[in-house]
Amino acid sequence: MLKQIMVMALDSIISNKVRSGLTVLGIVIGVASIIALMLLGAGATAQIQGELAGLGGNRLTVSVTGTPVKPALTEENLRLLEGLSQVTAVLPSTSARVRVVAGDVQKANVRVFGRSSDFFTTPGTELAGGRALHPLDIGMRQHVAILGADLAEELYPRRSPIGERLYLRGREFMVVGVMAASEGFTMSNINAGVIVPYNVAERVLAGSRVNTVDVYFAMGSDVGAVGDELLAALTGIFDGRSDVFTITNQQGILDMMATIMNTLTLLLSGIAAISLLVGGIGIMNMMLVSVTERTNEIGLRKALGAEPHLIMMQFLIEAVMLCLLGGAIGLALGMALAYVGSLLMGFAFAVTLFPIVLAVGFSVAVGLIFGLVPAQKASRLNPIDALRHV
Amino acid sequence: MSTTPLISLVEVSKSYFVGGEEQEVLHRVNLQVQKGEIAAILGPSGSGKTTLMNILGCLDVPTRGEYHLDGVLVANLGEAELARVRNRKVGFVFQNFQLLPRLNAYANVELPLLYSSCPPRERRDRVFGVLEAVGISHKAESRPNQLSGGQQQRVAIARAMVTEPAVILADEPTGALDQKTGQQVMELFREINAAGRTVLMITHDHNVAKYARRIIHILDGQVSADGGTPHA
């Protein structure tokens, strides 16, 4: 019986192709936007999480605003932080914008990143050629530079920059390495920049001070305890002031990202919900028309012994199938959109079961809710009147 | 024979409210039909014969009086129960065939069985059985618009027979057919009756009525004359 009803419903949908197609448009748009959203959201979250995990989950970042007397951390301070228990590495960072001159090529406003040799042990810092910073470069304050992939191409098109000399704010540096092009949010700005030893940057590039330090600590140690110890140490360094620096941990960034994503998702889900509502009303309208058109058929079926609940089921199933059709198209469209979006934004694209379940769930729900009134109308028709209807 | 009649109407009245006023369409109708009869209910339009057919076919219930169909008291039955009684005990043949245009002959005949608890294999046997019986099994795959009027009515008759109902109710079965085809259809009803099925025809046409062995005349909502039973 159920099989026959489904075949009949499908037949009725197919026989009114244009009308069915237009009617399910609302469902298509609603489901497509939900699916695209969810997949993109999941992709973005996975991307950010992956990046943060790649940078090392066991890390605290210290950002220093400093006081007029003591605007940044000194070499001595860094040694102190390195000496804290659990701490495995302290990576100072500086950053400045300078004019770069390389032979005939000049470029203003290039970012110079002051880094330590340990920086090159973190993920996403692969080299395309040459060498990384060596501890000796730091110790001897060598004027060496490692170019970002894009900058290297710009300054030395189609030739190796290794061994070339360039000038940063008038100071001569030797290029010893070139970074591989890095992807993702947090690393991408290095592509257009240049890396030098942080203590060299500090000395020769005015305004380039150690304002940011990544403090790495042993896997499995208590983040809170390390944080507390770091806080105490920094408060000591800044003469009892704890308001001139901040300590952020990765989880905080993750949480913030999650909050933003959730807000966005909620907002766009609202839009999707409205289109599903409008789509549902469209379905109801079409089903009401269908019931009127098929009054005679309903009368006949009733005369032949169809109980009211079977008539109701027939029209409900038709509404649900109509919605499922829209849901399936919407699912395909949403996945296609998410795929294109992922390509454009460089996210990973993964098809999971959840959006499919969601699309099916939404479709069935919309079909049932908005099919109920027409189905009820059909089931309540008086067979005598209905049979006379032509 | 003193068996209980297949159809028994006792003092059946039917009223409709039109604009707040009660209009009695059937007035104290008494009627009995035995199993195996072929009878015609004959009356002009407006005589109440359609209302009578609706009651006999369990599409409607009497306002007053009692109606027994094959041992079932058809009164105070809910819509779902009436539907079940129609499905099991009544086979309808309509003037304008009432075949579903999107279904082929086979599927049209199968329709009442879908609303019963008939298992699929038996369904198939039964459908082919009745299509064979009305001589249209070679058109099983045809849709109604590919069939002539006579063929369509044969399909409709097959559909009425497929549930092996207690009674076949035919409402102006030749109304949409030419005379020759109409005669063939009436012959078919005679054959069906000869095979043991009870047939009740509702008509205003005396030529149709003469195929019956009993003629029940309806006038102004009452039985005005009854042509007796086959055994009388």
Side-chain angles (χ1 to χ4, degrees):
Chain A
M1 183 72 229
L2 204 64
K3 195 181 137 212
Q4 269 87 3
I5 287 182
M6 282 162 91
V7 170
M8 284 184 307
L10 203 62
D11 189 57
S12 153
I13 290 168
I14 291 167
S15 65
N16 287 308
K17 273 190 208 76
V18 175
R19 191 167 77 181
S20 302
L22 288 175
T23 307
V24 300
L25 215 55
I27 308 288
V28 170
I29 294 168
V31 170
S33 46
I34 290 176
I35 297 301
L37 245 160
M38 282 194 40
L39 287 177
L40 276 180
T45 307
Q47 179 84 8
I48 293 161
Q49 273 171 343
E51 247 170 56
L52 291 180
L55 291 171
N58 49 347
R59 188 183 74 170
L60 289 171
T61 300
V62 178
S63 303
V64 176
T65 44
T67 64
V69 190
K70 188 169 178 51
L73 292 170
T74 63
E75 200 74 26
E76 197 184 328
N77 298 150
L78 296 175
R79 295 289 92 74
L80 176 72
L81 296 184
E82 266 175 7
L84 297 176
S85 61
Q86 309 288 350
V87 170
T88 53
V90 172
L91 273 66
S93 310
T94 73
S95 149
R97 285 181 180 278
V98 301
R99 171 177 293 272
V100 178
V101 180
D104 304 335
V105 190
Q106 283 200 23
K107 191 165 162 35
N109 223 16
V110 173
R111 284 192 77 169
V112 179
F113 301 94
R115 293 289 187 266
S116 68
S117 54
D118 284 341
F119 172 71
F120 291 90
T121 62
T122 59
T125 54
E126 288 75 26
L127 291 171
R131 65 170 177 87
L133 287 180
H134 191 272
L136 275 177
D137 294 326
I138 314 292
M140 311 280 289
R141 299 184 197 276
Q142 293 293 312
H143 284 213
V144 291
I146 291 149
L147 297 178
D150 294 347
L151 186 66
E153 181 58 30
E154 210 171 323
L155 297 180
Y156 306 98
R158 283 184 296 282
R159 63 195 167 99
S160 170
I162 312 284
E164 300 283 345
R165 287 175 194 286
L166 53 71
Y167 294 86
L168 303 176
R169 193 172 280 162
R171 300 294 187 124
E172 190 182 273
F173 283 76
M174 187 163 83
V175 179
V176 295
V178 178
M179 301 288 288
S182 59
E183 287 169 11
F185 301 136
T186 47
M187 286 297 187
S188 55
N189 50 13
I190 287 181
N191 287 339
V194 50
I195 298 170
V196 300
Y198 74 93
N199 50 3
V200 176
E202 229 181 339
R203 181 169 293 187
V204 304
L205 308 173
S208 174
R209 294 177 172 128
V210 178
N211 294 113
T212 310
V213 177
D214 289 336
V215 178
Y216 287 78
F217 48 92
M219 270 299 182
S221 44
D222 178 10
V223 187
V226 176
D228 287 345
E229 211 175 328
L230 198 56
L231 181 69
L234 287 164
T235 310
I237 289 168
F238 289 101
D239 303 322
R241 291 187 62 176
S242 60
D243 59 332
V244 295
F245 60 87
T246 53
I247 303 171
T248 43
N249 84 25
Q250 313 266 330
Q251 197 53 46
I253 299 171
L254 265 187
D255 289 348
M256 195 181 70
M257 284 293 198
T259 312
I260 295 170
M261 289 307 299
N262 284 346
T263 313
L264 258 174
T265 305
L266 207 66
L267 186 80
L268 293 168
S269 300
I271 295 167
I274 290 169
S275 61
L276 279 180
L277 178 76
V278 173
I281 293 168
I283 296 283
M284 181 149 79
N285 188 35
M286 170 166 170
M287 291 309 296
L288 283 171
V289 170
S290 178
V291 168
T292 307
E293 279 179 353
R294 287 151 72 188
T295 300
N296 192 64
E297 174 190 330
I298 296 163
L300 175 73
R301 287 177 184 277
K302 287 194 147 193
L304 296 182
E307 292 170 43
H309 79 266
L310 288 177
I311 298 286
M312 182 145 165
M313 205 156 82
Q314 182 185 340
F315 281 88
L316 266 185
I317 286 176
E318 193 171 320
V320 168
M321 285 182 79
L322 206 55
C323 288
L324 275 176
L325 178 77
I329 299 171
L331 181 67
L333 195 67
M335 292 219 267
L337 278 175
Y339 180 68
V340 173
S342 302
L343 282 185
L344 289 178
M345 291 189 255
F347 299 159
F349 176 77
V351 176
T352 54
L353 192 65
F354 185 61
I356 299 170
V357 172
L358 197 77
V360 170
F362 267 122
S363 307
V364 171
V366 169
L368 285 178
I369 292 168
F370 292 95
L372 194 66
V373 170
Q376 220 156 30
K377 189 185 167 196
S379 76
R380 284 178 184 162
L381 282 177
N382 177 344
I384 299 169
D385 299 337
L387 268 175
R388 232 178 270 141
H389 190 276
V390 180
Chain B
M1 283 204 280
S2 64
T3 51
T4 39
L6 183 74
I7 285 171
S8 167
L9 293 179
V10 180
E11 298 282 303
V12 163
S13 299
K14 182 70 188 178
S15 305
Y16 290 109
F17 284 90
V18 182
E21 250 176 85
E22 190 174 348
Q23 276 191 353
E24 197 169 53
V25 185
L26 286 181
H27 182 67
R28 297 187 161 210
V29 172
N30 288 295
L31 179 65
Q32 258 134 49
V33 178
Q34 303 293 334
K35 191 174 184 318
E37 277 195 78
I38 179 163
I41 295 171
L42 184 66
S45 59
S47 60
K49 65 179 191 304
T50 299
T51 305
L52 181 59
M53 192 204 80
N54 288 340
I55 288 174
L56 287 171
C58 300
L59 288 165
D60 209 344
V61 288
T63 314
R64 279 177 293 277
E66 276 189 1
Y67 170 35
H68 285 269
L69 170 61
D70 198 19
V72 179
L73 176 62
V74 185
N76 311 322
L77 287 187
E79 238 197 286
E81 288 141 316
L82 277 176
R84 278 196 288 273
V85 173
R86 284 198 294 272
N87 184 251
R88 288 192 206 128
K89 303 207 181 288
V90 185
F92 286 99
V93 178
F94 302 97
Q95 175 174 1
N96 48 359
F97 322 134
Q98 296 281 13
L99 299 175
L100 293 185
R102 305 192 49 79
L103 302 183
N104 64 23
Y106 179 92
N108 264 295
V109 173
E110 189 187 26
L111 209 51
L113 292 180
L114 296 181
Y115 295 119
S116 70
S117 50
C118 186
R121 180 174 291 178
E122 191 189 334
R123 222 150 61 199
R124 204 185 136 76
D125 292 346
R126 281 217 209 175
V127 173
F128 276 116
V130 289
L131 282 173
E132 195 80 43
V134 300
I136 202 99
S137 55
H138 60 291
K139 294 281 188 188
E141 300 291 329
S142 304
R143 290 197 176 192
N145 62 5
Q146 298 165 318
L147 298 173
S148 71
Q151 287 171 327
Q152 286 187 57
Q153 195 60 305
R154 281 171 191 271
V155 173
I157 291 167
R159 181 180 64 192
M161 290 161 62
V162 79
T163 55
E164 295 177 356
V167 60
I168 290 177
L169 277 181
D171 182 15
E172 301 281 9
T174 62
L177 301 174
D178 62 63
Q179 203 189 349
K180 189 169 169 245
T181 316
Q183 280 171 6
Q184 288 166 351
V185 165
M186 291 315 299
E187 287 298 340
L188 180 60
F189 276 119
R190 288 276 284 264
E191 283 171 36
I192 291 165
N193 174 248
R197 209 150 294 289
T198 313
V199 178
L200 264 180
M201 294 171 289
I202 291 89
T203 185
H204 68 281
D205 186 347
H206 287 269
N207 289 324
V208 170
K210 74 181 182 211
Y211 283 89
R213 277 190 274 180
R214 172 184 170 190
I215 298 175
I216 301 151
H217 292 265
I218 298 282
L219 202 62
D220 295 334
Q222 286 178 291
V223 177
S224 60
D226 194 334
T229 66
H231 303 290

